[in-house]
Structure formats: C-alpha cells, structure tokens
Amino acid sequence: MADCIDFFYEFIMGSVEMFVLFYFFVKLLRKRVRNYVYFVFAVCAVLLFHFVQVGTIAGFGLVVLLLMAGGILLFHVEFKLSLLYAALVVEIMQLCYGIEKSLLSVLYPLMFAVFQDTAGMVFMLFGELMALLLSGVCYYMVYRYFSCYSNTEMQYMYLVFIPLLMIFIMDEYINSVVYGWEVVIEEDGTMEYLINHWQLLIIQILGISSLFCILFAYKKILQNFRLNLELSLLEQEEYSLGQYVEEAKAHYEKTKSFRHDIRNHIAVVKDLLQNGKTEQALHYIGDMEDIAEGLSFPCSTNNPVVDILVGNKLGIAKNIGIDVDCSLLLPYPCGLRDIDICIILSNALDNAIHACKNMSSGAKKYIHVSGRIQGDFLMMEIGNSFQGEGMFKKGTGLSNIKTVAEKYHGAMSIKTHGTEAVLNVLLIIPHHLENIIGE
C-alpha cells in the first residue's frame, strides 16, 4: 500500500504538477504548442527527478532550468524573459503548496474525525487538489495582469527576480525545516509540531501577497518609464513644432511679399518687352525664377507640415555641400499623426547630416529620402553616405524613431553597405487615429 501511495504521489501527481507548470509557463510566454508536448515535458521532468536525487533548493533550480530550456529551445525566447517566468511559475506553485501544508495542518484534526480510516489518503488528495487549484488561480492573475513585457522592459527584471528569490527561500525554509520534521499524530488526530500553524499560514499568505505586490510595483515602475519616455518625446515635439512654426511663418512672409510685388514684376517685364528690350526682360524673368525657387520646398510630399520639415533639413544639408534627393509621397491626410512622421524624419535627417559632415572634404556626400504608402503600410527609407565607425551612438534619436515605429506596430532597421548607411522605417497605418493618440 505504501509503495502504491509513493508511486501515485511521485509519478502521477508529480506529472500533473509538471504539466501545470509547463502549461502556464507557455501561456505566460504567449506561445502555443501541441498538446502532446505538455505530456512529454511532464513525463521527462518526473523521470529526471526520479533518477537525479537533489535537495529542495537544487530541485527548484533544476525545474527552472528545464522550463528555461523549453522556452529558449522551443520558442526562441529571450534569456531574461524565460528566466523570469520560469522562476515565477515555480515560485507560485511552491508558495501555494506551502499554504496548503499550513492550512491542512490546521484542518487535519477535523478531517481525522470524519475520515479516521482514510484520513491520510484524503489529506494527500485534498491537499494536492487545493494546491493545484490555488496555483491555477494565481497563474491566471499573473497571465491576465502582469505578463507580456517587451525586451526593453525586461532589462529591469532583476527588480522582480531578487525579491522573488528571497520569498522562495523563506517559503522553502518553512516547508523543509518545519514540515520536514518527524510528525507525531495522536489518537485524536492532532499533529504535534513545535510551531503554530496559524502563524505559518498567515506568513505564507503574506508571502504570496507580497509576490503580487512586487509584480504590481514592477508594472507601475514600467508605466513610469513609459511616461518619462513619452514626456521626452513630447518635449522634443514641442521644440520641433516651434521650429517648424517659425519656418512656416518666415516662408509665409516671403511668399506674401512676393505675391504683393508680382504685379510690379509683371509690369516691369511688360514694359521691357514693349520697348524691345527682350534680353533684359529674359534676365529679369530669370531673377524672378530664382526668387520663386527659393519660396518652393525642396521636397513636395503633399503633406504641408512634412514639406516644411524636410525642406528645412535638406536646405541645411544643401548649403553645406551635401547632394540631396527626395521622392517621399504622403497622401494628406494619410491616417498617421504629422508629428510622429516629423519625429522620424527629423531624427533621421539630423543623423544623416551629422554623418556627412564628419566625412573628409573630398568624399562624395549625399542624402536620399524616399517613401510611399502601399496598402496599409508606410515605408520610408533614408540613405546617406558616411565614413568610419561610430555613426550610430547613444543619444542620436534612434530610440525615438524606434518608439514611434513600435507605436504604429511597425519596425525600424539600419543597414550599411560600404560607405552608405540606409535607415528603413515601416509603419502600419491605423484605421482609427484616435486609437493611436490614446496609447
């Protein structure tokens, strides 16, 4: 009978525990696998633990390693993300089993009074089911409210991992030292311990509550990081908008002045032609063309805000001897916020101008801007010449470009070919702009 109980507890219930661990681990990673994979993992884990006798702490580490290996090999998940969720699911199950042991130690006398002959079996089955049910509830809460972190956010995972490790060690001390002692059961079903089960139950409930408090605090910290990033973007937007407004005002004043004088210019040309001074009239018209060209935008994208920005940036580049070319077409309106497009182009062109300025005087310097909308996608490409290493460094605005790309569920990539660097940005055009504004 004892052998059957040991087999049931080690292999059957052990497989169920491993199945539940791996199932929720996969769910937290937001991945999918075939059903048989869960069973294969559970069986392999139980057999491994059967043949490899390890202590409690080592067993915890071994389960975490098994889950990490599954996350990395099967789903190609980042190491930090796999480590965090592997430790988290094992920690939750350990805490739930700790609560179950304390609670059942309190309830055992009542169970013994009802099931005197089978109290031990009922004790074991009821405890396993209760621990698994509590674990499932906790896993669902983590999956619902505290999962799906990006790679950028995972760099702060040590803020969670270290407190979780401390809670685990505390719980393992209680389970192994306190409940690992020899238990004496009296005839009336009371269990003789040198400790107070109610106190331990409260401590372990506080432990799992602390775990969720840590996850909640971590979530709030990440929200603050996002808000700080958005604030820095807004500050840059404000500064850029101020520049664009001033540029627009200056351009408007020049255009207004030219329109005011156009009648006088026409009268002068008419008078020259009437007096037979054709050459002078042509020279005067040439001067008028130069003035009109100065009032036009170097790049006509069909978006007036972007025209001002790109015109300003490419005008600066042209004045310092950089060849510029622009074939960017943006139907207006196009479902994207003008300021978001300006953030991408402003940072990209600033980087391109900086790279060209650092080139030797005899090198060919150029900047090419192109892009178009195809279906629900906006594809932009900014290519420029550069020389040497260290073109892309911290603080050059690439993080802002990446943030905007991710905001529209797109992507950013940088490629170099010899002395040319190419920045590609892909944005998915939303059907409802207010959804993006609210993010």
Side-chain angles (χ1 to χ4, degrees):
M1 183 64 180
D3 293 337
C4 294
I5 294 177
D6 291 339
F7 178 84
F8 177 82
Y9 188 80
E10 180 180 1
F11 290 98
I12 304 301
M13 296 309 301
S15 298
V16 173
E17 292 174 17
M18 292 298 107
F19 179 93
V20 172
L21 275 175
F22 189 64
Y23 177 81
F24 282 101
F25 175 70
V26 173
K27 288 298 181 183
L28 290 177
L29 293 177
R30 308 279 177 168
K31 303 295 183 179
R32 290 183 178 181
V33 295
R34 297 184 181 276
N35 293 331
Y36 72 87
V37 178
Y38 298 113
F39 293 99
V40 172
F41 177 86
V43 172
C44 292
V46 170
L47 291 176
L48 179 62
F49 276 99
H50 177 72
F51 292 105
V52 179
Q53 299 296 326
V54 293
T56 304
I57 302 296
F60 170 82
L62 184 58
V63 175
V64 171
L65 288 176
L66 287 175
L67 292 174
M68 283 179 55
I72 296 173
L73 298 177
L74 294 178
F75 311 117
H76 308 289
V77 178
E78 290 288 336
F79 172 80
K80 290 182 178 181
L81 186 64
S82 184
L83 173 61
L84 175 62
Y85 285 141
L88 186 59
V89 294
V90 177
E91 169 70 9
I92 288 175
M93 181 163 285
Q94 289 296 110
L95 283 170
C96 291
Y97 269 89
I99 292 174
E100 167 255 336
K101 290 178 181 178
S102 295
L103 183 59
L104 288 186
S105 296
V106 174
L107 298 178
Y108 187 80
L110 299 177
M111 298 172 60
F112 184 82
V114 179
F115 308 99
Q116 292 185 4
D117 297 332
T118 58
M121 182 64 69
V122 173
F123 182 90
M124 183 183 68
L125 291 176
F126 180 73
E128 289 286 340
L129 293 177
M130 185 184 70
L132 291 174
L133 180 61
L134 182 58
S135 299
V137 172
C138 294
Y139 288 144
Y140 174 77
M141 293 177 63
V142 173
Y143 173 79
R144 181 68 176 81
Y145 299 105
F146 304 107
S147 61
C148 197
Y149 295 121
S150 66
N151 291 335
T152 303
E153 295 167 341
M154 288 308 300
Q155 62 181 316
Y156 307 107
M157 60 84 65
Y158 64 89
L159 296 175
V160 174
F161 186 75
I162 295 177
L164 289 182
L165 185 60
M166 184 211 52
I167 295 174
F168 163 75
I169 293 174
M170 176 207 71
D171 185 66
E172 282 305 314
Y173 177 82
I174 294 174
N175 290 334
S176 60
V177 176
V178 176
Y179 292 106
W181 293 339
E182 182 178 351
V183 180
V184 177
I185 302 177
E186 302 294 341
E187 294 181 358
D188 60 353
T190 57
M191 304 175 68
E192 293 295 333
Y193 285 100
L194 300 178
I195 40 82
N196 188 315
H197 299 298
W198 283 107
Q199 291 178 352
L200 291 181
L201 177 61
I202 293 173
I203 289 173
Q204 298 199 78
I205 291 175
L206 288 175
I208 199 165
S209 300
S210 299
L211 183 145
F212 281 99
C213 288
I214 291 170
L215 293 177
F216 179 78
Y218 182 60
K219 185 176 182 179
K220 288 298 181 182
I221 289 173
L222 294 181
Q223 289 177 352
N224 288 333
F225 283 137
R226 296 190 196 105
L227 289 176
N228 289 334
L229 179 59
E230 291 177 2
L231 180 61
S232 65
L233 286 175
L234 288 174
E235 290 175 350
Q236 182 182 0
E237 291 174 7
E238 182 182 7
Y239 175 76
S240 301
L241 280 175
Q243 286 187 318
Y244 305 152
V245 169
E246 293 300 322
E247 179 71 17
K249 288 180 179 179
H251 191 274
Y252 175 76
E253 292 297 328
K254 291 179 181 179
T255 305
K256 182 180 178 181
S257 176
F258 182 78
R259 282 177 9 200
H260 179 269
D261 296 335
I262 191 67
R263 291 185 180 180
N264 296 330
H265 294 315
I266 293 175
V268 171
V269 173
K270 183 179 180 181
D271 183 66
L272 291 173
L273 291 175
Q274 287 177 345
N275 293 325
K277 300 178 180 180
T278 306
E279 185 175 350
Q280 295 181 7
L282 292 175
H283 181 74
Y284 194 89
I285 291 174
D287 293 338
M288 291 177 60
E289 287 179 345
D290 293 337
I291 297 174
E293 184 178 355
L295 296 176
S296 62
F297 293 107
C299 180
S300 178
T301 66
N302 295 326
N303 185 312
V305 178
V306 177
D307 285 348
I308 295 172
L309 167 70
V310 177
N312 181 39
K313 297 296 183 183
L314 295 185
I316 294 174
K318 195 173 182 179
N319 290 335
I320 60 177
I322 301 175
D323 294 332
V324 298
D325 176 64
C326 179
S327 59
L328 178 62
L329 296 177
L330 299 172
Y332 186 78
C334 66
L336 300 170
R337 295 181 66 197
D338 295 335
I339 191 64
D340 290 330
I341 301 175
C342 288
I343 288 175
I344 293 174
L345 293 174
S346 176
N347 286 289
L349 291 175
D350 284 342
N351 289 342
I353 293 173
H354 176 75
C356 291
K357 287 173 64 177
N358 289 338
M359 297 180 67
S360 58
S361 57
K364 183 180 180 181
K365 305 176 183 180
Y366 61 87
I367 297 176
H368 300 316
V369 181
S370 62
R372 68 187 188 280
I373 288 181
Q374 184 172 347
D376 291 334
F377 300 92
L378 168 61
M379 296 172 286
M380 291 185 287
E381 181 177 289
I382 298 90
N384 62 273
S385 56
F386 81 104
Q387 184 175 0
E389 300 294 332
M391 174 186 170
F392 309 110
K393 58 182 180 180
K394 184 178 180 181
T396 55
L398 293 177
S399 60
N400 291 340
I401 297 176
K402 183 179 179 181
T403 299
V404 174
E406 292 177 348
K407 177 180 178 181
Y408 289 93
H409 310 292
M412 177 197 79
S413 66
I414 302 173
K415 297 180 181 179
T416 56
H417 307 281
T419 59
E420 181 182 36
V422 179
L423 170 67
N424 289 285
V425 181
L426 174 68
L427 305 179
I428 300 178
I429 301 173
H431 295 288
H432 300 287
L433 184 58
E434 59 271 14
N435 294 339
I436 291 296
I437 296 176
E439 289 187 355

